[in-house]
Amino acid sequence: FMIDFRKILVKYDTPVPRYTSYPTAPHFIQGLGGELLQSTLSSLDTAKRLSLYIHIPYCDRLCWFCGCHTKQTNQYAPVVKYVDTLIAEIMLLGEKSSCRPLLGEVHFGGGSPSLLRSEDMIRIRQALGLVFQIDKATQISVEIDPNDHNDDMIYGLKSIGLTRASIGVQDFDPEVQKAINRPQSFEQTFDLVRALRSIGISSVNVDALYGLPLQNKQRLQKTIERVISMEPDRIAMFGYAHVPWVKKHQSMINEGDLPGNIERYEQAKLAEELLVQSGFQKIGLDHYARPDDKLAQCANQGILRRNFQGYTSDPCETLIGLGASSIGQSTEGHFQNIVPTGQYTLAVNNGTLPAAKGYRFTQDDRIRGWIIERLMCDFHLKF
């Protein structure tokens, strides 16, 4: 009995939600976020760790494939102003929290949080230490653009207690990089990995993409082989989502250069074969990890989780988002901060929690969300 996946791909050729949450963000309700966040903060318990996502919505270049809430800046002054607001938001959370809880994980995303100067990384870390408890079990991860790599960045990452680095690669082929406005050599990327290992970072993740313009199986194979040679602990192998009606800068990509769905499927299968043959364990839909990595261990134990950052070993029930556009979650529901940085800054400076949109869970939502998460993590369900 053979399944013709090509026929299935043609039959079900339609866009579907990306379930990093259920219900998904388009269902969030304006005006409910602040209420849900305040309720969550009022019921925090020192016996339970919570996690933080910190969004830095700036890049020193704009990659055309990007689907994140970010903007390009050639000046550092707006970044300093944003960090000031971020610290004010942290202090505001402290004022409205019922206790000073322990942190499980802190993830800096963006944008490019690696463009932060060390002094600003340290300022954020010090503010977090005033409002939350950080101990040796707290995991701190940062998304890094290799083009930001310099001695000051490495010093900053070491100073904040970085435990896991996530490095953006996408593709190493020069033609593909030109098509997505992401010039980045293999050598500078490998130099970054070596620098991170030298300061004791034992967990390195690499993000790569398939389905990019001008990408084919031969080019993708070469990229994956180079990624493997850097000996990362985890690899996220995402499929590029072309949504220029949502992200206008994606219109800079020539749609005629994009591979079709059959080619995308074959690229994804090729990546899976190469990575599994090299000793990586497949995790969920699009992640891979070394067998001794915590992500693989959680998958094997049936306790793998999926949140707004993708597949994770983070067991915390509560995730609080800091910064413009960031999304949080508790047992009560989802809450999302104001997206435009100017409006976000105004709200924080007025002493108001910047959470705007939100969604309060019903029991039906909890059941469906749990089912979706288990299917995406385990590919089966035990009722």
Side-chain angles (χ1 to χ4, degrees):
F1 177 65
M2 297 294 291
I3 298 174
D4 189 340
F5 285 102
R6 289 166 180 80
K7 288 183 178 179
I8 293 175
L9 287 169
V10 171
K11 182 176 180 180
Y12 296 105
D13 183 11
T14 185
V16 296
R18 288 199 165 193
Y19 284 116
T20 52
S21 71
Y22 180 83
T24 53
H27 295 280
F28 294 0
I29 299 168
Q30 186 66 41
L32 187 58
E35 178 185 336
L36 286 170
L37 176 55
Q38 180 58 76
S39 178
T40 298
L41 295 174
S42 299
S43 59
L44 292 178
D45 184 350
T46 53
K48 293 184 177 180
R49 291 180 183 264
L50 65 83
S51 292
L52 300 177
Y53 171 74
I54 301 175
H55 190 68
I56 308 297
Y58 290 99
C59 295
D60 41 27
R61 60 177 177 177
L62 191 59
C63 303
W64 295 337
F65 68 88
C66 183
C68 302
H69 288 296
T70 188
K71 51 189 170 184
Q72 183 177 0
T73 179
N74 295 318
Q75 304 292 327
Y76 194 71
V79 180
V80 174
K81 182 179 178 181
Y82 181 81
V83 171
D84 291 340
T85 305
L86 195 58
I87 290 172
E89 183 188 5
I90 294 170
M91 305 314 295
L92 188 60
L93 287 177
E95 294 172 13
K96 297 182 180 296
S97 296
S98 58
C99 64
R100 185 167 168 254
L102 271 165
L103 291 181
E105 298 203 2
V106 181
H107 183 80
F108 288 81
S112 296
S114 55
L115 64 70
L116 291 175
R117 293 174 181 169
S118 62
E119 60 209 58
D120 289 318
M121 293 186 197
I122 294 168
R123 284 204 296 145
I124 295 171
R125 171 62 176 78
Q126 289 173 338
L128 292 175
L130 295 174
V131 174
F132 305 98
Q133 298 182 65
I134 300 173
D135 63 9
K136 292 182 179 179
T138 304
Q139 299 295 302
I140 299 176
S141 58
V142 178
E143 296 173 11
I144 303 175
D145 179 349
N147 287 278
D148 294 329
H149 178 202
N150 55 46
D151 290 343
D152 182 72
M153 185 197 79
I154 297 297
Y155 172 75
L157 295 175
K158 184 177 182 180
S159 298
I160 66 172
L162 181 74
T163 59
R164 184 171 65 251
S166 185
I167 302 172
V169 167
Q170 323 323 332
D171 192 288
F172 280 126
D173 185 87
E175 292 299 314
V176 176
Q177 290 181 352
K178 184 177 179 181
I180 61 174
N181 196 37
R182 175 78 178 208
Q184 174 183 322
S185 73
F186 168 73
E187 289 74 22
Q188 69 181 135
T189 308
F190 205 173
D191 283 345
L192 170 60
V193 173
R194 284 189 281 253
L196 292 168
R197 297 296 194 191
S198 73
I199 61 170
I201 306 306
S202 59
S203 182
V204 173
N205 173 78
V206 168
D207 287 346
L209 287 174
Y210 66 87
L212 289 171
L214 300 180
Q215 200 175 43
N216 55 38
K217 287 184 286 185
Q218 291 74 27
R219 287 173 168 173
L220 179 62
Q221 178 169 345
K222 189 172 183 180
T223 287
I224 292 173
E225 288 170 349
R226 287 183 163 186
V227 167
I228 292 170
S229 73
M230 295 189 295
E231 300 185 339
D233 305 279
R234 303 178 182 179
I235 297 171
M237 197 74 221
F238 298 117
Y240 167 61
H242 189 62
V243 287
W245 55 92
V246 178
K247 296 296 179 181
K248 293 183 179 179
H249 55 264
Q250 290 190 353
S251 61
M252 299 296 292
I253 289 177
N254 182 0
E255 293 189 359
D257 292 336
L258 293 171
N261 277 357
I262 301 298
E263 172 69 12
R264 281 173 62 93
Y265 169 76
E266 291 177 347
Q267 288 181 9
K269 293 304 291 182
L270 173 65
E272 178 181 340
E273 291 169 6
L274 292 171
L275 292 170
V276 170
Q277 287 172 6
S278 297
F280 286 88
Q281 178 178 329
K282 188 177 182 184
I283 308 294
L285 294 173
D286 47 23
H287 281 48
Y288 299 84
R290 298 288 184 187
D292 59 348
D293 186 88
K294 190 175 181 181
L295 202 64
Q297 294 171 357
C298 287
N300 295 335
Q301 294 168 22
I303 56 174
L304 183 68
R305 299 291 309 278
R306 185 171 175 87
N307 64 16
F308 299 104
Q309 282 77 61
Y311 290 103
T312 178
S313 57
D314 182 5
C316 297
E317 289 183 343
T318 300
L319 170 70
I320 294 178
L322 293 163
S325 81
S326 63
I327 301 177
Q329 177 179 336
S330 69
T331 55
E332 294 186 59
H334 301 305
F335 32 87
Q336 181 177 21
N337 277 359
I338 298 167
V339 175
T341 53
Q343 295 177 30
Y344 157 78
T345 300
L346 185 62
V348 173
N349 290 343
N350 287 335
T352 304
L353 290 172
K357 293 182 179 181
Y359 188 95
R360 190 184 304 278
F361 294 147
T362 64
Q363 184 62 3
D364 184 77
D365 294 325
R366 293 188 179 95
I367 292 169
R368 292 176 186 274
W370 181 82
I371 289 171
I372 291 169
E373 184 178 30
R374 295 312 344 134
L375 288 174
M376 295 189 74
C377 291
D378 306 329
F379 299 125
H380 65 266
L381 181 68
K382 293 182 179 180
F383 285 95

